[in-house]
Amino acid sequence: MDKSGHDKIAVAVDFLLFTIEDDRLKILMVRREQEPFQGLLALPGVAVAQEETLAHAARRCLEEETGITEPIYLEQLYTWGDDCRRDPRGRVISVSYMALIPREKLTEKSGKRVTEVFFAEVDQLLAPESQLSFDHKEIIAYGRERIRNKTAYTDIAFHILPEEFTLPQLQKVYEILLGKELYKANFRKSIQDMVADTGKLRKEGAHRPSKVYVRKSSLKKQMIEREEIVL
Amino acid sequence: MDKSGHDKIAVAVDFLLFTIEDDRLKILMVRREQEPFQGLLALPGVAVAQEETLAHAARRCLEEETGITEPIYLEQLYTWGDDCRRDPRGRVISVSYMALIPREKLTEKSGKRVTEVFFAEVDQLLAPESQLSFDHKEIIAYGRERIRNKTAYTDIAFHILPEEFTLPQLQKVYEILLGKELYKANFRKSIQDMVADTGKLRKEGAHRPSKVYVRKSSLKKQMIEREEIVL
DNA sequence: GCAAAAGTGTTCTGGATACACCCATGA
DNA sequence: TCATGGGTGTATCCAGAACACTTTTGC
């Protein structure tokens, strides 16, 4: 203990960056280059610096790994510190943050990092036979659960799509996030207040073209969880 | 930074112990004896020790302040660390935990603590003119919001009542937690699957006695938030 | 014309809301 | 017998589920 009466503990931020690719829910992972868990997959993370807010640490982690600097939807998930042995090097508690981005936002990696970083399929990571570092499997499962819950109440699904999208696209996103199929007519009624027709059309194959929509900004759905848009 | 590559930061747990007394939502508060914020009200809290889980620190805080040792419903709320200046003595991040207990559980304070600790009315604490320590006002507001949300989805309201209760009592609890009045007939329908009639009656005044109920254990409502029952 | 997927209107239904009423007690 | 609060049934309304159908394209 120091004079302030506190033990000092290492604080880390783990980042869950979700996206959809090939109609699958994916999450950004890194391959660990050092012990412990060398060679295994892990969530990207950084140590929180002395003079840095938690959200800023999360933001910095995102930039280091992906080069993304623009504003992004960011939400604190949970703080994990129950297993004092999670990091053999010493006591670490980790605050997990979650974000959703459209796959296109991450093209060429302009991150400073040399480490291997890529999107991995969430279902595969959560399979019983997969082995991840630390308690990251549990954290990912918790993040996916949060997404499922919030997709039903809020508009988080839109964060995973580009500005313009079609309703079949939007429905697919909802289905992937919720993990179940939806009825087209009912789905459209449920989201009709959240979208605005742009008048454009988009041709996709040997069938009727779909209308192109944008998200209406006038949503007042109240969030259950605290959330932050880091600018 | 030490050799593990982490800055060390002081980690604290703040405890939000809610109860209902005199038909008001109250929360356990302490009066600070030292700077900063000497003399002002604050949430009870402890520093997290090196070899201690977060939930254990919360549990220890509860015991030190109230003497309560039995299992209790405990839920992690949020981790606050955005304002690096919240504690002038240095960087502190605080993990907040929330619990609900029946007022009767806390009779004579058998806690080790000499400090003044008591239940304060939440509405008063949140009033614009009230001044609290650190960012505790925001934390309390967040905790109350969480209670409001979870009361609608889950069975947390029951944690605030003793084993046996009447339906008018239960309804009052819901009304206080939700912050609005409910229609008797509809309320009863909404909770009928969660309670079981004991056959007992309870006389309360110059009117028909009310039936005494207990909570049915067979609830399978899924929780949205992570929660823990600490044993 | 036909397959394929986009797009839309109508019915059904279960849960929440609103309303109306009866019951048991003390004074 | 009356005031008070406990207790219960029925009608109404609305959102979501289910169903049925039309439209537009490429081949």
Side-chain angles (χ1 to χ4, degrees):
Chain A
M1 293 234 186
D2 69 8
K3 60 179 181 286
S4 73
H6 288 280
D7 283 356
K8 300 278 178 155
I9 297 174
V11 178
V13 158
D14 287 326
F15 202 101
L16 289 78
L17 185 65
F18 287 101
T19 194
I20 289 177
E21 186 180 39
D22 302 330
D23 286 351
R24 297 259 162 69
L25 183 65
K26 300 199 172 179
I27 186 172
L28 196 75
M29 298 291 281
V30 303
R31 194 169 293 283
R32 283 189 64 80
E33 296 176 322
Q34 295 146 17
E35 289 296 343
F37 301 106
Q38 187 174 19
L40 286 187
L41 295 185
L43 290 166
V46 294
V48 177
Q50 281 288 345
E51 294 294 324
E52 180 184 48
T53 69
L54 293 175
H56 180 270
R59 193 73 191 70
R60 180 166 58 83
C61 176
L62 176 69
E63 183 176 351
E64 285 176 8
E65 307 289 359
T66 68
I68 294 173
T69 55
E70 53 195 309
I72 195 178
Y73 169 81
L74 195 60
E75 173 182 336
Q76 187 186 302
L77 262 184
Y78 195 76
T79 299
W80 311 78
D82 283 359
D83 180 9
C84 295
R85 298 282 163 271
R86 66 190 296 280
D87 190 328
R89 290 168 305 180
R91 177 73 189 280
V92 178
I93 74 163
S94 90
V95 184
S96 49
Y97 277 79
M98 176 179 88
L100 302 169
I101 57 163
R103 183 60 186 83
E104 308 81 64
K105 279 244 173 98
L106 194 54
T107 45
E108 26 159 355
K109 283 170 296 187
S110 49
K112 306 167 193 167
R113 177 181 255 276
V114 231
T115 330
E116 191 184 354
V117 12
F118 56 92
F119 281 113
E121 201 177 318
V122 171
D123 280 339
Q124 278 177 17
L125 295 178
L126 294 180
E129 64 272 18
S130 100
Q131 254 209 312
L132 304 183
S133 312
F134 306 110
D135 47 2
H136 289 183
K137 200 167 181 175
E138 192 186 352
I139 297 178
I140 293 170
Y142 184 62
R144 186 178 64 170
E145 202 51 36
R146 177 76 66 95
I147 285 182
R148 293 206 167 149
N149 288 321
K150 291 198 79 167
T151 298
Y153 300 114
T154 74
D155 59 349
I156 48 162
F158 289 88
H159 294 289
I160 229 167
L161 281 173
E163 277 277 307
E164 301 194 322
F165 51 84
T166 66
L167 294 191
Q169 244 188 315
L170 181 63
Q171 179 172 350
K172 194 73 197 171
V173 167
Y174 267 81
E175 288 176 340
I176 292 164
L177 295 185
L178 291 171
K180 67 177 180 188
E181 300 205 333
L182 302 172
Y183 291 84
K184 184 173 44 166
N186 300 334
F187 169 73
R188 285 170 182 235
K189 257 175 284 184
S190 75
I191 53 90
Q192 65 185 356
D193 293 337
M194 298 198 251
V195 297
D197 191 343
T198 61
K200 300 184 198 169
L201 290 178
R202 182 180 297 173
K203 293 182 189 168
E204 298 243 29
H207 56 83
R208 178 172 177 174
S210 35
K211 295 182 188 174
V212 174
Y213 288 80
V214 292
R215 182 179 157 202
K216 240 193 265 180
S217 50
S218 59
L219 321 182
K220 30 68 183 22
K221 299 226 174 191
Q222 70 268 44
M223 299 287 162
I224 288 181
E225 293 318 305
R226 185 173 188 73
E227 69 176 60
E228 306 163 46
I229 309 284
V230 177
L231 300 169
Chain B
M1 291 231 188
D2 68 6
K3 60 180 181 284
S4 72
H6 287 282
D7 282 355
K8 299 280 178 154
I9 297 174
V11 178
V13 158
D14 286 328
F15 202 102
L16 287 78
L17 185 64
F18 288 100
T19 195
I20 288 177
E21 185 181 42
D22 302 329
D23 286 349
R24 296 258 163 70
L25 182 65
K26 300 200 172 179
I27 186 171
L28 196 74
M29 297 292 280
V30 303
R31 195 169 291 283
R32 283 189 63 82
E33 296 177 322
Q34 296 147 17
E35 289 297 342
F37 303 105
Q38 185 174 22
L40 287 186
L41 295 184
L43 289 167
V46 295
V48 177
Q50 280 288 345
E51 296 293 324
E52 179 184 48
T53 68
L54 293 175
H56 181 269
R59 194 73 192 72
R60 180 166 59 83
C61 175
L62 176 70
E63 182 174 352
E64 285 176 8
E65 306 291 359
T66 68
I68 294 174
T69 54
E70 53 195 305
I72 196 178
Y73 170 81
L74 194 59
E75 174 182 336
Q76 187 187 300
L77 260 187
Y78 195 77
T79 298
W80 312 79
D82 282 359
D83 180 9
C84 294
R85 300 282 163 271
R86 66 191 296 278
D87 190 328
R89 291 168 304 178
R91 178 72 189 281
V92 178
I93 75 164
S94 89
V95 184
S96 50
Y97 277 79
M98 176 180 89
L100 302 169
I101 58 164
R103 182 62 186 86
E104 307 82 63
K105 278 242 172 98
L106 193 55
T107 47
E108 28 159 354
K109 284 172 296 191
S110 48
K112 306 164 192 169
R113 177 178 255 275
V114 232
T115 330
E116 192 184 352
V117 11
F118 55 92
F119 280 112
E121 202 176 319
V122 171
D123 279 339
Q124 279 178 15
L125 296 178
L126 293 181
E129 66 270 18
S130 99
Q131 254 209 313
L132 304 183
S133 313
F134 306 108
D135 47 2
H136 289 184
K137 202 170 182 175
E138 192 185 351
I139 298 179
I140 293 169
Y142 183 62
R144 186 179 63 170
E145 201 51 35
R146 176 78 64 96
I147 286 181
R148 291 204 169 151
N149 287 322
K150 292 198 77 168
T151 298
Y153 300 114
T154 73
D155 58 349
I156 48 164
F158 288 89
H159 294 288
I160 228 165
L161 282 172
E163 278 275 307
E164 300 194 324
F165 51 85
T166 66
L167 294 192
Q169 243 186 315
L170 182 62
Q171 178 171 351
K172 194 76 197 167
V173 168
Y174 267 82
E175 288 176 341
I176 292 165
L177 296 185
L178 291 171
K180 66 177 183 190
E181 300 206 331
L182 302 171
Y183 292 85
K184 184 173 45 166
N186 300 333
F187 169 74
R188 284 168 184 237
K189 257 176 285 184
S190 75
I191 52 89
Q192 66 186 355
D193 292 339
M194 299 197 254
V195 297
D197 190 345
T198 61
K200 300 182 195 168
L201 290 178
R202 183 181 299 172
K203 292 181 190 168
E204 299 244 27
H207 56 81
R208 178 173 176 174
S210 36
K211 295 181 187 175
V212 173
Y213 287 80
V214 292
R215 179 178 160 207
K216 239 193 262 181
S217 49
S218 59
L219 322 183
K220 32 52 177 47
K221 298 226 175 196
Q222 70 268 43
M223 299 290 160
I224 287 180
E225 294 318 303
R226 185 171 188 75
E227 69 176 62
E228 308 163 44
I229 309 286
V230 177
L231 300 170

PDB file of all heavy atoms in Angstrom, chain A residues 180-196:
ATOM      1  N   LYS A 180     -30.894 -15.384 -35.305  1.00  0.00           N
ATOM      2  CA  LYS A 180     -32.101 -16.096 -35.728  1.00  0.00           C
ATOM      3  C   LYS A 180     -32.720 -15.404 -36.941  1.00  0.00           C
ATOM      4  O   LYS A 180     -32.465 -14.227 -37.199  1.00  0.00           O
ATOM      5  CB  LYS A 180     -33.118 -16.134 -34.589  1.00  0.00           C
ATOM      6  CG  LYS A 180     -33.672 -14.773 -34.226  1.00  0.00           C
ATOM      7  CD  LYS A 180     -34.728 -14.878 -33.136  1.00  0.00           C
ATOM      8  CE  LYS A 180     -35.275 -13.500 -32.779  1.00  0.00           C
ATOM      9  NZ  LYS A 180     -36.158 -13.520 -31.605  1.00  0.00           N
ATOM     10  N   GLU A 181     -33.533 -16.140 -37.677  1.00  0.00           N
ATOM     11  CA  GLU A 181     -34.159 -15.575 -38.873  1.00  0.00           C
ATOM     12  C   GLU A 181     -35.367 -14.727 -38.502  1.00  0.00           C
ATOM     13  O   GLU A 181     -35.988 -14.928 -37.458  1.00  0.00           O
ATOM     14  CB  GLU A 181     -34.564 -16.696 -39.821  1.00  0.00           C
ATOM     15  CG  GLU A 181     -33.383 -17.541 -40.270  1.00  0.00           C
ATOM     16  CD  GLU A 181     -33.653 -18.205 -41.614  1.00  0.00           C
ATOM     17  OE1 GLU A 181     -34.827 -18.441 -41.941  1.00  0.00           O
ATOM     18  OE2 GLU A 181     -32.661 -18.477 -42.332  1.00  0.00           O
ATOM     19  N   LEU A 182     -35.658 -13.775 -39.364  1.00  0.00           N
ATOM     20  CA  LEU A 182     -36.786 -12.877 -39.123  1.00  0.00           C
ATOM     21  C   LEU A 182     -37.727 -12.907 -40.325  1.00  0.00           C
ATOM     22  O   LEU A 182     -37.313 -13.209 -41.446  1.00  0.00           O
ATOM     23  CB  LEU A 182     -36.274 -11.448 -38.918  1.00  0.00           C
ATOM     24  CG  LEU A 182     -35.287 -11.253 -37.771  1.00  0.00           C
ATOM     25  CD1 LEU A 182     -34.699  -9.847 -37.801  1.00  0.00           C
ATOM     26  CD2 LEU A 182     -35.958 -11.510 -36.423  1.00  0.00           C
ATOM     27  N   TYR A 183     -38.985 -12.560 -40.088  1.00  0.00           N
ATOM     28  CA  TYR A 183     -39.948 -12.479 -41.172  1.00  0.00           C
ATOM     29  C   TYR A 183     -39.848 -11.104 -41.821  1.00  0.00           C
ATOM     30  O   TYR A 183     -39.920 -10.083 -41.130  1.00  0.00           O
ATOM     31  CB  TYR A 183     -41.370 -12.701 -40.669  1.00  0.00           C
ATOM     32  CG  TYR A 183     -41.611 -14.123 -40.215  1.00  0.00           C
ATOM     33  CD1 TYR A 183     -41.265 -14.519 -38.938  1.00  0.00           C
ATOM     34  CD2 TYR A 183     -42.179 -15.051 -41.080  1.00  0.00           C
ATOM     35  CE1 TYR A 183     -41.482 -15.828 -38.511  1.00  0.00           C
ATOM     36  CE2 TYR A 183     -42.404 -16.363 -40.663  1.00  0.00           C
ATOM     37  CZ  TYR A 183     -42.049 -16.745 -39.378  1.00  0.00           C
ATOM     38  OH  TYR A 183     -42.259 -18.037 -38.973  1.00  0.00           O
ATOM     39  N   LYS A 184     -39.735 -11.121 -43.121  1.00  0.00           N
ATOM     40  CA  LYS A 184     -39.485  -9.885 -43.852  1.00  0.00           C
ATOM     41  C   LYS A 184     -40.510  -8.790 -43.583  1.00  0.00           C
ATOM     42  O   LYS A 184     -40.154  -7.668 -43.205  1.00  0.00           O
ATOM     43  CB  LYS A 184     -39.427 -10.189 -45.344  1.00  0.00           C
ATOM     44  CG  LYS A 184     -39.071  -9.012 -46.210  1.00  0.00           C
ATOM     45  CD  LYS A 184     -38.870  -9.410 -47.664  1.00  0.00           C
ATOM     46  CE  LYS A 184     -39.949 -10.369 -48.170  1.00  0.00           C
ATOM     47  NZ  LYS A 184     -39.950 -10.482 -49.645  1.00  0.00           N
ATOM     48  N   ALA A 185     -41.779  -9.109 -43.767  1.00  0.00           N
ATOM     49  CA  ALA A 185     -42.807  -8.076 -43.638  1.00  0.00           C
ATOM     50  C   ALA A 185     -42.818  -7.479 -42.229  1.00  0.00           C
ATOM     51  O   ALA A 185     -42.934  -6.265 -42.055  1.00  0.00           O
ATOM     52  CB  ALA A 185     -44.174  -8.650 -43.977  1.00  0.00           C
ATOM     53  N   ASN A 186     -42.671  -8.340 -41.224  1.00  0.00           N
ATOM     54  CA  ASN A 186     -42.714  -7.860 -39.844  1.00  0.00           C
ATOM     55  C   ASN A 186     -41.461  -7.078 -39.488  1.00  0.00           C
ATOM     56  O   ASN A 186     -41.533  -6.049 -38.805  1.00  0.00           O
ATOM     57  CB  ASN A 186     -42.875  -9.031 -38.886  1.00  0.00           C
ATOM     58  CG  ASN A 186     -44.146  -9.792 -39.166  1.00  0.00           C
ATOM     59  OD1 ASN A 186     -45.111  -9.234 -39.689  1.00  0.00           O
ATOM     60  ND2 ASN A 186     -44.161 -11.066 -38.842  1.00  0.00           N
ATOM     61  N   PHE A 187     -40.332  -7.569 -39.962  1.00  0.00           N
ATOM     62  CA  PHE A 187     -39.089  -6.863 -39.703  1.00  0.00           C
ATOM     63  C   PHE A 187     -39.171  -5.437 -40.245  1.00  0.00           C
ATOM     64  O   PHE A 187     -38.805  -4.478 -39.571  1.00  0.00           O
ATOM     65  CB  PHE A 187     -37.909  -7.580 -40.350  1.00  0.00           C
ATOM     66  CG  PHE A 187     -36.653  -6.765 -40.349  1.00  0.00           C
ATOM     67  CD1 PHE A 187     -35.945  -6.569 -39.185  1.00  0.00           C
ATOM     68  CD2 PHE A 187     -36.204  -6.156 -41.515  1.00  0.00           C
ATOM     69  CE1 PHE A 187     -34.806  -5.796 -39.174  1.00  0.00           C
ATOM     70  CE2 PHE A 187     -35.063  -5.381 -41.516  1.00  0.00           C
ATOM     71  CZ  PHE A 187     -34.359  -5.201 -40.335  1.00  0.00           C
ATOM     72  N   ARG A 188     -39.693  -5.309 -41.455  1.00  0.00           N
ATOM     73  CA  ARG A 188     -39.747  -3.984 -42.073  1.00  0.00           C
ATOM     74  C   ARG A 188     -40.646  -3.037 -41.304  1.00  0.00           C
ATOM     75  O   ARG A 188     -40.323  -1.855 -41.155  1.00  0.00           O
ATOM     76  CB  ARG A 188     -40.235  -4.124 -43.516  1.00  0.00           C
ATOM     77  CG  ARG A 188     -39.143  -4.672 -44.394  1.00  0.00           C
ATOM     78  CD  ARG A 188     -39.618  -5.052 -45.768  1.00  0.00           C
ATOM     79  NE  ARG A 188     -38.500  -5.608 -46.519  1.00  0.00           N
ATOM     80  CZ  ARG A 188     -38.093  -5.147 -47.700  1.00  0.00           C
ATOM     81  NH1 ARG A 188     -38.732  -4.151 -48.277  1.00  0.00           N
ATOM     82  NH2 ARG A 188     -37.068  -5.681 -48.301  1.00  0.00           N
ATOM     83  N   LYS A 189     -41.735  -3.583 -40.802  1.00  0.00           N
ATOM     84  CA  LYS A 189     -42.598  -2.716 -39.995  1.00  0.00           C
ATOM     85  C   LYS A 189     -41.861  -2.263 -38.737  1.00  0.00           C
ATOM     86  O   LYS A 189     -41.963  -1.115 -38.321  1.00  0.00           O
ATOM     87  CB  LYS A 189     -43.888  -3.460 -39.628  1.00  0.00           C
ATOM     88  CG  LYS A 189     -45.073  -3.009 -40.469  1.00  0.00           C
ATOM     89  CD  LYS A 189     -46.314  -3.823 -40.182  1.00  0.00           C
ATOM     90  CE  LYS A 189     -46.226  -5.204 -40.828  1.00  0.00           C
ATOM     91  NZ  LYS A 189     -47.453  -6.008 -40.655  1.00  0.00           N
ATOM     92  N   SER A 190     -41.102  -3.170 -38.138  1.00  0.00           N
ATOM     93  CA  SER A 190     -40.463  -2.841 -36.863  1.00  0.00           C
ATOM     94  C   SER A 190     -39.372  -1.782 -36.997  1.00  0.00           C
ATOM     95  O   SER A 190     -39.059  -1.094 -36.038  1.00  0.00           O
ATOM     96  CB  SER A 190     -39.903  -4.101 -36.217  1.00  0.00           C
ATOM     97  OG  SER A 190     -38.714  -4.500 -36.880  1.00  0.00           O
ATOM     98  N   ILE A 191     -38.771  -1.661 -38.180  1.00  0.00           N
ATOM     99  CA  ILE A 191     -37.686  -0.692 -38.323  1.00  0.00           C
ATOM    100  C   ILE A 191     -38.061   0.506 -39.213  1.00  0.00           C
ATOM    101  O   ILE A 191     -37.210   1.362 -39.481  1.00  0.00           O
ATOM    102  CB  ILE A 191     -36.394  -1.351 -38.854  1.00  0.00           C
ATOM    103  CG1 ILE A 191     -36.661  -2.137 -40.147  1.00  0.00           C
ATOM    104  CG2 ILE A 191     -35.764  -2.244 -37.837  1.00  0.00           C
ATOM    105  CD1 ILE A 191     -36.516  -1.365 -41.418  1.00  0.00           C
ATOM    106  N   GLN A 192     -39.308   0.549 -39.646  1.00  0.00           N
ATOM    107  CA  GLN A 192     -39.654   1.565 -40.643  1.00  0.00           C
ATOM    108  C   GLN A 192     -39.450   2.999 -40.138  1.00  0.00           C
ATOM    109  O   GLN A 192     -39.128   3.887 -40.928  1.00  0.00           O
ATOM    110  CB  GLN A 192     -41.091   1.370 -41.131  1.00  0.00           C
ATOM    111  CG  GLN A 192     -42.132   1.575 -40.075  1.00  0.00           C
ATOM    112  CD  GLN A 192     -43.535   1.236 -40.613  1.00  0.00           C
ATOM    113  OE1 GLN A 192     -43.690   0.918 -41.794  1.00  0.00           O
ATOM    114  NE2 GLN A 192     -44.528   1.306 -39.736  1.00  0.00           N
ATOM    115  N   ASP A 193     -39.606   3.199 -38.825  1.00  0.00           N
ATOM    116  CA  ASP A 193     -39.432   4.555 -38.297  1.00  0.00           C
ATOM    117  C   ASP A 193     -37.962   4.973 -38.223  1.00  0.00           C
ATOM    118  O   ASP A 193     -37.659   6.131 -37.979  1.00  0.00           O
ATOM    119  CB  ASP A 193     -40.043   4.665 -36.896  1.00  0.00           C
ATOM    120  CG  ASP A 193     -41.548   4.529 -36.952  1.00  0.00           C
ATOM    121  OD1 ASP A 193     -42.123   4.788 -38.030  1.00  0.00           O
ATOM    122  OD2 ASP A 193     -42.142   4.147 -35.932  1.00  0.00           O
ATOM    123  N   MET A 194     -37.081   4.025 -38.379  1.00  0.00           N
ATOM    124  CA  MET A 194     -35.663   4.330 -38.207  1.00  0.00           C
ATOM    125  C   MET A 194     -34.959   4.607 -39.529  1.00  0.00           C
ATOM    126  O   MET A 194     -33.786   4.979 -39.538  1.00  0.00           O
ATOM    127  CB  MET A 194     -34.969   3.147 -37.520  1.00  0.00           C
ATOM    128  CG  MET A 194     -35.506   2.857 -36.144  1.00  0.00           C
ATOM    129  SD  MET A 194     -34.364   1.833 -35.187  1.00  0.00           S
ATOM    130  CE  MET A 194     -35.258   0.288 -35.132  1.00  0.00           C
ATOM    131  N   VAL A 195     -35.609   4.374 -40.638  1.00  0.00           N
ATOM    132  CA  VAL A 195     -34.938   4.524 -41.933  1.00  0.00           C
ATOM    133  C   VAL A 195     -35.686   5.482 -42.842  1.00  0.00           C
ATOM    134  O   VAL A 195     -36.880   5.717 -42.671  1.00  0.00           O
ATOM    135  CB  VAL A 195     -34.790   3.159 -42.637  1.00  0.00           C
ATOM    136  CG1 VAL A 195     -33.920   2.236 -41.824  1.00  0.00           C
ATOM    137  CG2 VAL A 195     -36.153   2.545 -42.891  1.00  0.00           C
ATOM    138  N   ALA A 196     -34.948   6.050 -43.791  1.00  0.00           N
ATOM    139  CA  ALA A 196     -35.537   6.961 -44.767  1.00  0.00           C
ATOM    140  C   ALA A 196     -35.114   6.548 -46.171  1.00  0.00           C
ATOM    141  O   ALA A 196     -33.932   6.273 -46.414  1.00  0.00           O
ATOM    142  CB  ALA A 196     -35.107   8.392 -44.489  1.00  0.00           C
TER     143      ALA A 196
END
